[in-house]
Amino acid sequence: MTGMWAAGFWGLIGGSALVLGACVAWFATLPQRLIASVMAIGAGVLISAVAFDLMDEAFHQGGFDATAIGFLGGAIAYTAANIVVSRRGARHRKRSGSNPAERQPDAQGDSGAAIAIGALLDGIPESVVIGVSLLSGGGVSAVTVAAVFLSNVPEGLSSAAGMKAAGRSPGYVFGVWGGIAIASAIAAMIGNVALAGSSPDLIAGVTAVAAGAILAMLVDTMIPEATEATHDYSGLIAVVGFLLAFVLTKSG
């Protein structure tokens, strides 16, 4: 499997978690604490991926300047875009609860498109970095793929639950999340192809941009929602996720 197709495959694996979450929301109801626990584990894994995979790799490739500029740029770009989609009804797109009454007032209305755009906003940096991770000639970063997958499951679950409560058809719900999963694969392929042969500074900058966007997303959406339902144990659960990712990173 060539680098481009491998990137697309792993990007699709990460994005497919959205469809999995949507399936769970459509056919079953899981306890809010369980969903929030998965989110907390995903947050810990993503923090480890940002620190030991993305930022460390960016620093070794491009030094401090490219890494710092990219990191801050990614966080600023994500924050600006997130403000736009949040004001259109996608603030709680990673909501861990499945009770529509716990959502923002417009979550059951026309915010489906904003939620989908928000999911793309969350997923594109993650998918691009999956594609970039294959440029070194080694295998894909298992930590990054696991982190993306774990962060996408609650998002697909909670958003699909809101769409179902709003009376959306199964074709609409699964079409939205299936399309975003495919977009994740395409983003990973583009990241792999567009940056092939690029200078270390550019690759470092792009990697750091993704790291900054992911960390901003974590603090803005995942951690608050995970803490809401598991506040007594969310820190411990996140530490477990971080440790698992750290072990994978160091043993890979």
Side-chain angles (χ1 to χ4, degrees):
M1 187 182 296
T2 63
M4 180 185 72
W5 295 110
F9 172 77
W10 290 112
L12 183 62
I13 291 295
S16 67
L18 292 165
V19 180
L20 174 62
C23 286
V24 173
W26 197 265
F27 297 108
T29 301
L30 296 180
Q32 182 180 357
R33 284 179 177 267
L34 176 59
I35 302 167
S37 296
V38 172
M39 192 175 293
I41 292 175
V45 173
L46 273 175
I47 292 171
S48 180
V50 167
F52 295 106
D53 275 12
L54 305 184
M55 289 297 286
D56 190 59
E57 179 65 23
F59 177 76
H60 281 95
Q61 287 188 323
F64 180 77
D65 291 347
T67 301
I69 293 172
F71 191 61
L72 290 174
I76 291 170
Y78 173 86
T79 300
N82 186 58
I83 289 172
V84 174
V85 298
S86 293
R87 289 176 177 174
R88 285 162 174 75
R91 177 172 298 279
H92 296 291
R93 58 188 175 274
K94 289 184 182 289
R95 190 77 175 180
S96 58
S98 57
N99 182 358
E102 296 174 341
R103 301 172 186 275
Q104 70 275 28
D106 62 343
Q108 299 181 53
D110 294 330
S111 63
I115 290 172
I117 294 171
L120 281 174
L121 174 65
D122 298 335
I124 286 177
E126 299 168 343
S127 298
V128 168
V129 84
I130 287 176
V132 172
S133 71
L134 290 164
L135 291 176
S136 62
V140 70
S141 170
V143 173
T144 302
V145 174
V148 171
F149 191 92
L150 286 173
S151 70
N152 279 341
V153 170
E155 182 166 9
L157 192 156
S158 58
S159 299
M163 292 179 184
K164 181 180 179 181
R168 299 291 190 182
S169 67
Y172 177 89
V173 173
F174 292 106
V176 166
W177 297 117
I180 295 174
I182 293 173
S184 297
I186 294 173
M189 295 171 74
I190 291 174
N192 183 268
V193 173
L195 295 173
S198 297
S199 67
D201 282 348
L202 179 57
I203 294 177
V206 172
T207 302
V209 164
I214 290 170
L215 185 57
M217 178 272 293
L218 272 169
V219 176
D220 186 77
T221 60
M222 285 188 70
I223 291 176
E225 299 300 349
T227 303
E228 182 180 7
T230 61
H231 55 87
D232 291 333
Y233 305 100
S234 57
L236 175 61
I237 296 170
V239 166
V240 171
F242 182 96
L243 180 60
L244 289 173
F246 178 77
V247 171
L248 282 174
T249 299
K250 297 304 179 183
S251 62

Short mmCIF file of all heavy atoms in Angstrom, two decimals, residues 114-180:
data_model
loop_
_atom_site.label_atom_id
_atom_site.label_comp_id
_atom_site.label_asym_id
_atom_site.label_seq_id
_atom_site.Cartn_x
_atom_site.Cartn_y
_atom_site.Cartn_z
N ALA A 114 -24.05 23.04 11.15
CA ALA A 114 -22.96 23.62 11.94
C ALA A 114 -22.20 22.54 12.68
O ALA A 114 -20.97 22.60 12.81
CB ALA A 114 -23.52 24.65 12.92
N ILE A 115 -22.92 21.55 13.20
CA ILE A 115 -22.26 20.45 13.90
C ILE A 115 -21.37 19.68 12.94
O ILE A 115 -20.24 19.29 13.27
CB ILE A 115 -23.31 19.52 14.54
CG1 ILE A 115 -23.99 20.23 15.72
CG2 ILE A 115 -22.67 18.22 15.02
CD1 ILE A 115 -25.16 19.48 16.30
N ALA A 116 -21.88 19.44 11.72
CA ALA A 116 -21.07 18.73 10.73
C ALA A 116 -19.82 19.53 10.37
O ALA A 116 -18.71 18.97 10.28
CB ALA A 116 -21.91 18.47 9.47
N ILE A 117 -19.97 20.85 10.19
CA ILE A 117 -18.81 21.69 9.91
C ILE A 117 -17.84 21.67 11.09
O ILE A 117 -16.62 21.63 10.92
CB ILE A 117 -19.26 23.13 9.59
CG1 ILE A 117 -20.06 23.15 8.29
CG2 ILE A 117 -18.05 24.06 9.48
CD1 ILE A 117 -20.73 24.48 8.00
N GLY A 118 -18.40 21.69 12.30
CA GLY A 118 -17.55 21.61 13.48
C GLY A 118 -16.78 20.31 13.55
O GLY A 118 -15.61 20.28 13.95
N ALA A 119 -17.43 19.22 13.15
CA ALA A 119 -16.74 17.92 13.13
C ALA A 119 -15.60 17.93 12.13
O ALA A 119 -14.52 17.37 12.39
CB ALA A 119 -17.73 16.81 12.80
N LEU A 120 -15.82 18.56 10.98
CA LEU A 120 -14.74 18.71 10.01
C LEU A 120 -13.61 19.56 10.58
O LEU A 120 -12.43 19.26 10.40
CB LEU A 120 -15.27 19.36 8.73
CG LEU A 120 -16.03 18.45 7.75
CD1 LEU A 120 -16.61 19.28 6.62
CD2 LEU A 120 -15.12 17.37 7.20
N LEU A 121 -13.99 20.62 11.28
CA LEU A 121 -13.00 21.50 11.90
C LEU A 121 -12.14 20.73 12.89
O LEU A 121 -10.92 20.93 12.97
CB LEU A 121 -13.72 22.66 12.60
CG LEU A 121 -12.89 23.63 13.44
CD1 LEU A 121 -11.94 24.39 12.53
CD2 LEU A 121 -13.81 24.59 14.18
N ASP A 122 -12.77 19.85 13.66
CA ASP A 122 -12.03 19.04 14.62
C ASP A 122 -11.17 17.99 13.93
O ASP A 122 -10.05 17.69 14.36
CB ASP A 122 -12.99 18.31 15.57
CG ASP A 122 -13.81 19.28 16.41
OD1 ASP A 122 -13.35 20.42 16.62
OD2 ASP A 122 -14.91 18.90 16.84
N GLY A 123 -11.72 17.40 12.86
CA GLY A 123 -11.09 16.22 12.27
C GLY A 123 -10.01 16.48 11.24
O GLY A 123 -9.10 15.66 11.10
N ILE A 124 -10.07 17.62 10.53
CA ILE A 124 -9.10 17.86 9.47
C ILE A 124 -7.67 17.94 9.98
O ILE A 124 -6.77 17.29 9.43
CB ILE A 124 -9.49 19.11 8.65
CG1 ILE A 124 -10.68 18.78 7.75
CG2 ILE A 124 -8.31 19.58 7.80
CD1 ILE A 124 -11.20 19.95 6.95
N PRO A 125 -7.37 18.71 11.04
CA PRO A 125 -5.98 18.71 11.53
C PRO A 125 -5.50 17.32 11.95
O PRO A 125 -4.35 16.95 11.69
CB PRO A 125 -6.04 19.66 12.73
CG PRO A 125 -7.23 20.51 12.50
CD PRO A 125 -8.22 19.63 11.81
N GLU A 126 -6.40 16.56 12.59
CA GLU A 126 -6.03 15.21 13.01
C GLU A 126 -5.73 14.33 11.81
O GLU A 126 -4.76 13.55 11.82
CB GLU A 126 -7.17 14.61 13.84
CG GLU A 126 -7.49 15.39 15.10
CD GLU A 126 -8.79 14.95 15.74
OE1 GLU A 126 -9.59 14.29 15.04
OE2 GLU A 126 -9.02 15.26 16.92
N SER A 127 -6.56 14.43 10.78
CA SER A 127 -6.38 13.60 9.59
C SER A 127 -5.12 13.98 8.82
O SER A 127 -4.39 13.11 8.34
CB SER A 127 -7.61 13.71 8.68
OG SER A 127 -8.77 13.26 9.34
N VAL A 128 -4.87 15.28 8.69
CA VAL A 128 -3.68 15.73 7.98
C VAL A 128 -2.43 15.20 8.65
O VAL A 128 -1.49 14.75 7.99
CB VAL A 128 -3.64 17.27 7.91
CG1 VAL A 128 -2.28 17.76 7.44
CG2 VAL A 128 -4.72 17.79 6.97
N VAL A 129 -2.41 15.23 9.98
CA VAL A 129 -1.21 14.78 10.68
C VAL A 129 -1.03 13.27 10.56
O VAL A 129 0.10 12.77 10.61
CB VAL A 129 -1.25 15.23 12.15
CG1 VAL A 129 -2.04 14.26 13.03
CG2 VAL A 129 0.16 15.39 12.71
N ILE A 130 -2.12 12.53 10.35
CA ILE A 130 -2.00 11.10 10.08
C ILE A 130 -1.26 10.90 8.76
O ILE A 130 -0.35 10.06 8.65
CB ILE A 130 -3.39 10.43 10.04
CG1 ILE A 130 -3.97 10.32 11.45
CG2 ILE A 130 -3.29 9.03 9.41
CD1 ILE A 130 -5.38 9.77 11.49
N GLY A 131 -1.64 11.68 7.75
CA GLY A 131 -0.95 11.58 6.47
C GLY A 131 0.49 12.00 6.56
O GLY A 131 1.38 11.36 5.98
N VAL A 132 0.78 13.06 7.31
CA VAL A 132 2.15 13.54 7.46
C VAL A 132 3.01 12.53 8.19
O VAL A 132 4.20 12.37 7.89
CB VAL A 132 2.15 14.90 8.19
CG1 VAL A 132 3.58 15.33 8.53
CG2 VAL A 132 1.48 15.97 7.34
N SER A 133 2.43 11.80 9.14
CA SER A 133 3.21 10.85 9.93
C SER A 133 3.78 9.72 9.09
O SER A 133 4.73 9.06 9.50
CB SER A 133 2.35 10.27 11.05
OG SER A 133 1.37 9.38 10.54
N LEU A 134 3.23 9.52 7.89
CA LEU A 134 3.70 8.45 7.02
C LEU A 134 4.83 8.89 6.09
O LEU A 134 5.41 8.06 5.39
CB LEU A 134 2.54 7.90 6.18
CG LEU A 134 1.48 7.11 6.95
CD1 LEU A 134 0.22 6.95 6.12
CD2 LEU A 134 2.02 5.74 7.33
N LEU A 135 5.15 10.19 6.09
CA LEU A 135 6.16 10.69 5.17
C LEU A 135 7.56 10.22 5.51
O LEU A 135 8.44 10.19 4.65
CB LEU A 135 6.13 12.22 5.13
CG LEU A 135 4.89 12.85 4.49
CD1 LEU A 135 4.95 14.37 4.60
CD2 LEU A 135 4.78 12.43 3.02
N SER A 136 7.78 9.86 6.76
CA SER A 136 9.12 9.44 7.18
C SER A 136 9.47 8.06 6.65
O SER A 136 10.62 7.63 6.75
CB SER A 136 9.23 9.44 8.71
OG SER A 136 8.31 8.53 9.27
N GLY A 137 8.50 7.36 6.10
CA GLY A 137 8.75 6.02 5.59
C GLY A 137 8.42 4.92 6.57
O GLY A 137 8.40 3.74 6.23
N GLY A 138 8.17 5.30 7.81
CA GLY A 138 7.79 4.32 8.82
C GLY A 138 6.29 4.08 8.79
O GLY A 138 5.57 4.58 7.93
N GLY A 139 5.82 3.33 9.75
CA GLY A 139 4.40 3.07 9.83
C GLY A 139 3.65 4.25 10.41
O GLY A 139 4.24 5.24 10.87
N VAL A 140 2.35 4.14 10.37
CA VAL A 140 1.51 5.21 10.90
C VAL A 140 1.65 5.25 12.42
O VAL A 140 1.96 4.23 13.06
CB VAL A 140 0.04 4.97 10.51
CG1 VAL A 140 -0.55 3.77 11.25
CG2 VAL A 140 -0.80 6.22 10.71
N SER A 141 1.43 6.43 12.99
CA SER A 141 1.47 6.57 14.45
C SER A 141 0.22 5.95 15.04
O SER A 141 -0.89 6.48 14.89
CB SER A 141 1.56 8.05 14.84
OG SER A 141 1.37 8.21 16.22
N ALA A 142 0.39 4.82 15.73
CA ALA A 142 -0.75 4.15 16.35
C ALA A 142 -1.40 5.03 17.40
O ALA A 142 -2.63 5.02 17.58
CB ALA A 142 -0.31 2.82 16.97
N VAL A 143 -0.60 5.81 18.10
CA VAL A 143 -1.12 6.70 19.13
C VAL A 143 -2.04 7.75 18.52
O VAL A 143 -3.13 8.01 19.03
CB VAL A 143 0.03 7.38 19.90
CG1 VAL A 143 -0.51 8.43 20.85
CG2 VAL A 143 0.84 6.35 20.67
N THR A 144 -1.62 8.35 17.41
CA THR A 144 -2.42 9.38 16.77
C THR A 144 -3.74 8.81 16.26
O THR A 144 -4.81 9.41 16.46
CB THR A 144 -1.64 10.02 15.61
OG1 THR A 144 -0.41 10.57 16.10
CG2 THR A 144 -2.46 11.13 14.96
N VAL A 145 -3.69 7.66 15.60
CA VAL A 145 -4.92 7.05 15.08
C VAL A 145 -5.86 6.70 16.23
O VAL A 145 -7.07 6.95 16.17
CB VAL A 145 -4.59 5.80 14.25
CG1 VAL A 145 -5.88 5.09 13.83
CG2 VAL A 145 -3.80 6.19 13.01
N ALA A 146 -5.32 6.12 17.32
CA ALA A 146 -6.15 5.76 18.47
C ALA A 146 -6.78 7.00 19.10
O ALA A 146 -7.95 6.99 19.48
CB ALA A 146 -5.32 5.01 19.51
N ALA A 147 -5.99 8.06 19.19
CA ALA A 147 -6.50 9.30 19.78
C ALA A 147 -7.63 9.89 18.93
O ALA A 147 -8.67 10.33 19.47
CB ALA A 147 -5.37 10.31 19.93
N VAL A 148 -7.44 9.92 17.62
CA VAL A 148 -8.47 10.44 16.72
C VAL A 148 -9.74 9.61 16.83
O VAL A 148 -10.86 10.14 16.92
CB VAL A 148 -7.95 10.46 15.27
CG1 VAL A 148 -9.09 10.79 14.29
CG2 VAL A 148 -6.82 11.46 15.12
N PHE A 149 -9.58 8.30 16.85
CA PHE A 149 -10.73 7.40 16.92
C PHE A 149 -11.51 7.63 18.22
O PHE A 149 -12.74 7.79 18.20
CB PHE A 149 -10.26 5.94 16.84
CG PHE A 149 -11.37 4.95 16.64
CD1 PHE A 149 -11.73 4.56 15.36
CD2 PHE A 149 -12.04 4.40 17.71
CE1 PHE A 149 -12.76 3.65 15.16
CE2 PHE A 149 -13.07 3.49 17.53
CZ PHE A 149 -13.43 3.11 16.25
N LEU A 150 -10.81 7.68 19.34
CA LEU A 150 -11.47 7.83 20.63
C LEU A 150 -12.15 9.18 20.78
O LEU A 150 -13.17 9.30 21.46
CB LEU A 150 -10.47 7.62 21.77
CG LEU A 150 -10.02 6.18 22.02
CD1 LEU A 150 -8.90 6.14 23.05
CD2 LEU A 150 -11.20 5.32 22.48
N SER A 151 -11.59 10.21 20.16
CA SER A 151 -12.22 11.53 20.26
C SER A 151 -13.43 11.65 19.35
O SER A 151 -14.33 12.46 19.61
CB SER A 151 -11.20 12.63 19.92
OG SER A 151 -10.88 12.62 18.54
N ASN A 152 -13.49 10.85 18.29
CA ASN A 152 -14.60 10.94 17.34
C ASN A 152 -15.83 10.15 17.76
O ASN A 152 -16.95 10.51 17.37
CB ASN A 152 -14.14 10.45 15.96
CG ASN A 152 -13.37 11.51 15.20
OD1 ASN A 152 -13.46 12.69 15.49
ND2 ASN A 152 -12.60 11.08 14.21
N VAL A 153 -15.66 9.08 18.54
CA VAL A 153 -16.81 8.26 18.93
C VAL A 153 -17.87 9.08 19.68
O VAL A 153 -19.05 9.08 19.29
CB VAL A 153 -16.37 7.04 19.76
CG1 VAL A 153 -17.59 6.35 20.37
CG2 VAL A 153 -15.62 6.05 18.89
N PRO A 154 -17.51 9.80 20.75
CA PRO A 154 -18.54 10.58 21.45
C PRO A 154 -19.15 11.67 20.59
O PRO A 154 -20.33 12.01 20.76
CB PRO A 154 -17.77 11.17 22.65
CG PRO A 154 -16.54 10.35 22.78
CD PRO A 154 -16.19 9.92 21.38
N GLU A 155 -18.35 12.25 19.69
CA GLU A 155 -18.87 13.31 18.83
C GLU A 155 -19.96 12.77 17.91
O GLU A 155 -21.03 13.37 17.78
CB GLU A 155 -17.75 13.93 18.01
CG GLU A 155 -18.23 15.07 17.13
CD GLU A 155 -17.07 15.90 16.58
OE1 GLU A 155 -15.92 15.49 16.75
OE2 GLU A 155 -17.35 16.94 15.99
N GLY A 156 -19.70 11.64 17.26
CA GLY A 156 -20.70 11.04 16.40
C GLY A 156 -21.92 10.61 17.17
O GLY A 156 -23.07 10.79 16.73
N LEU A 157 -21.70 10.07 18.37
CA LEU A 157 -22.80 9.59 19.19
C LEU A 157 -23.71 10.73 19.63
O LEU A 157 -24.93 10.69 19.44
CB LEU A 157 -22.23 8.86 20.41
CG LEU A 157 -23.19 8.03 21.26
CD1 LEU A 157 -22.43 6.95 22.01
CD2 LEU A 157 -23.94 8.90 22.25
N SER A 158 -23.11 11.76 20.22
CA SER A 158 -23.92 12.84 20.78
C SER A 158 -24.61 13.66 19.69
O SER A 158 -25.79 14.01 19.81
CB SER A 158 -23.05 13.75 21.64
OG SER A 158 -21.99 14.29 20.88
N SER A 159 -23.91 13.96 18.62
CA SER A 159 -24.50 14.76 17.55
C SER A 159 -25.61 14.00 16.84
O SER A 159 -26.66 14.57 16.50
CB SER A 159 -23.42 15.18 16.56
OG SER A 159 -22.44 15.97 17.20
N ALA A 160 -25.40 12.71 16.61
CA ALA A 160 -26.44 11.91 15.96
C ALA A 160 -27.67 11.79 16.84
O ALA A 160 -28.80 11.77 16.34
CB ALA A 160 -25.88 10.52 15.62
N ALA A 161 -27.46 11.72 18.16
CA ALA A 161 -28.61 11.67 19.07
C ALA A 161 -29.45 12.93 18.95
O ALA A 161 -30.68 12.88 18.97
CB ALA A 161 -28.13 11.48 20.51
N GLY A 162 -28.79 14.08 18.83
CA GLY A 162 -29.51 15.33 18.66
C GLY A 162 -30.26 15.40 17.34
O GLY A 162 -31.39 15.88 17.27
N MET A 163 -29.62 14.90 16.27
CA MET A 163 -30.28 14.88 14.96
C MET A 163 -31.49 13.95 14.98
O MET A 163 -32.54 14.25 14.39
CB MET A 163 -29.29 14.44 13.89
CG MET A 163 -28.17 15.44 13.62
SD MET A 163 -27.03 14.83 12.36
CE MET A 163 -25.79 16.14 12.38
N LYS A 164 -31.35 12.81 15.67
CA LYS A 164 -32.46 11.87 15.76
C LYS A 164 -33.63 12.50 16.51
O LYS A 164 -34.79 12.37 16.10
CB LYS A 164 -32.00 10.60 16.47
CG LYS A 164 -33.09 9.54 16.61
CD LYS A 164 -32.57 8.30 17.34
CE LYS A 164 -33.67 7.25 17.49
NZ LYS A 164 -33.16 6.05 18.23
N ALA A 165 -33.32 13.20 17.60
CA ALA A 165 -34.37 13.86 18.37
C ALA A 165 -35.05 14.95 17.56
O ALA A 165 -36.22 15.27 17.78
CB ALA A 165 -33.77 14.45 19.65
N ALA A 166 -34.31 15.54 16.62
CA ALA A 166 -34.88 16.59 15.76
C ALA A 166 -35.71 16.03 14.62
O ALA A 166 -36.28 16.79 13.84
CB ALA A 166 -33.76 17.46 15.20
N GLY A 167 -35.77 14.69 14.52
CA GLY A 167 -36.58 14.07 13.48
C GLY A 167 -35.88 13.84 12.17
O GLY A 167 -36.52 13.58 11.15
N ARG A 168 -34.55 13.94 12.17
CA ARG A 168 -33.80 13.68 10.94
C ARG A 168 -33.91 12.21 10.56
O ARG A 168 -34.00 11.33 11.40
CB ARG A 168 -32.33 14.04 11.13
CG ARG A 168 -32.08 15.50 11.46
CD ARG A 168 -32.38 16.41 10.29
NE ARG A 168 -31.92 17.77 10.53
CZ ARG A 168 -32.09 18.77 9.68
NH1 ARG A 168 -32.74 18.58 8.55
NH2 ARG A 168 -31.63 19.98 9.96
N SER A 169 -33.87 11.93 9.26
CA SER A 169 -33.98 10.56 8.78
C SER A 169 -32.65 9.82 8.94
O SER A 169 -31.58 10.46 9.03
CB SER A 169 -34.37 10.56 7.31
OG SER A 169 -33.32 11.09 6.51
N PRO A 170 -32.69 8.49 8.96
CA PRO A 170 -31.43 7.73 9.03
C PRO A 170 -30.50 8.05 7.86
O PRO A 170 -29.29 8.12 8.04
CB PRO A 170 -31.89 6.27 8.98
CG PRO A 170 -33.30 6.29 9.46
CD PRO A 170 -33.87 7.60 9.00
N GLY A 171 -31.09 8.26 6.67
CA GLY A 171 -30.27 8.59 5.51
C GLY A 171 -29.51 9.88 5.70
O GLY A 171 -28.33 10.00 5.33
N TYR A 172 -30.18 10.87 6.30
CA TYR A 172 -29.53 12.16 6.55
C TYR A 172 -28.40 12.00 7.57
O TYR A 172 -27.27 12.46 7.34
CB TYR A 172 -30.55 13.15 7.07
CG TYR A 172 -29.96 14.51 7.45
CD1 TYR A 172 -29.85 15.52 6.50
CD2 TYR A 172 -29.52 14.75 8.74
CE1 TYR A 172 -29.31 16.76 6.84
CE2 TYR A 172 -28.97 15.99 9.09
CZ TYR A 172 -28.87 16.98 8.14
OH TYR A 172 -28.32 18.19 8.48
N VAL A 173 -28.70 11.35 8.69
CA VAL A 173 -27.72 11.22 9.78
C VAL A 173 -26.49 10.46 9.32
O VAL A 173 -25.35 10.93 9.47
CB VAL A 173 -28.36 10.53 11.00
CG1 VAL A 173 -27.30 10.25 12.07
CG2 VAL A 173 -29.47 11.40 11.58
N PHE A 174 -26.71 9.28 8.74
CA PHE A 174 -25.56 8.46 8.36
C PHE A 174 -24.88 9.00 7.10
O PHE A 174 -23.69 8.78 6.90
CB PHE A 174 -25.99 7.01 8.18
CG PHE A 174 -26.39 6.36 9.47
CD1 PHE A 174 -27.71 6.11 9.76
CD2 PHE A 174 -25.43 6.03 10.42
CE1 PHE A 174 -28.09 5.53 10.96
CE2 PHE A 174 -25.79 5.45 11.63
CZ PHE A 174 -27.13 5.20 11.91
N GLY A 175 -25.65 9.73 6.29
CA GLY A 175 -25.02 10.39 5.15
C GLY A 175 -24.05 11.47 5.59
O GLY A 175 -22.94 11.59 5.05
N VAL A 176 -24.45 12.26 6.60
CA VAL A 176 -23.58 13.32 7.12
C VAL A 176 -22.30 12.74 7.69
O VAL A 176 -21.18 13.15 7.32
CB VAL A 176 -24.31 14.14 8.21
CG1 VAL A 176 -23.33 15.00 8.99
CG2 VAL A 176 -25.38 15.03 7.57
N TRP A 177 -22.42 11.76 8.56
CA TRP A 177 -21.23 11.22 9.22
C TRP A 177 -20.39 10.36 8.29
O TRP A 177 -19.16 10.33 8.40
CB TRP A 177 -21.62 10.46 10.48
CG TRP A 177 -22.27 11.37 11.47
CD1 TRP A 177 -23.55 11.30 11.94
CD2 TRP A 177 -21.70 12.54 12.07
NE1 TRP A 177 -23.79 12.34 12.79
CE2 TRP A 177 -22.68 13.11 12.90
CE3 TRP A 177 -20.45 13.15 11.98
CZ2 TRP A 177 -22.45 14.27 13.64
CZ3 TRP A 177 -20.22 14.31 12.72
CH2 TRP A 177 -21.21 14.85 13.53
N GLY A 178 -21.05 9.65 7.36
CA GLY A 178 -20.28 8.91 6.37
C GLY A 178 -19.48 9.84 5.47
O GLY A 178 -18.32 9.58 5.14
N GLY A 179 -20.11 10.96 5.10
CA GLY A 179 -19.40 11.95 4.28
C GLY A 179 -18.21 12.55 5.00
O GLY A 179 -17.14 12.76 4.40
N ILE A 180 -18.35 12.81 6.30
CA ILE A 180 -17.24 13.38 7.07
C ILE A 180 -16.12 12.35 7.23
O ILE A 180 -14.93 12.70 7.20
CB ILE A 180 -17.73 13.89 8.43
CG1 ILE A 180 -18.69 15.06 8.22
CG2 ILE A 180 -16.56 14.31 9.32
CD1 ILE A 180 -19.34 15.56 9.47
#
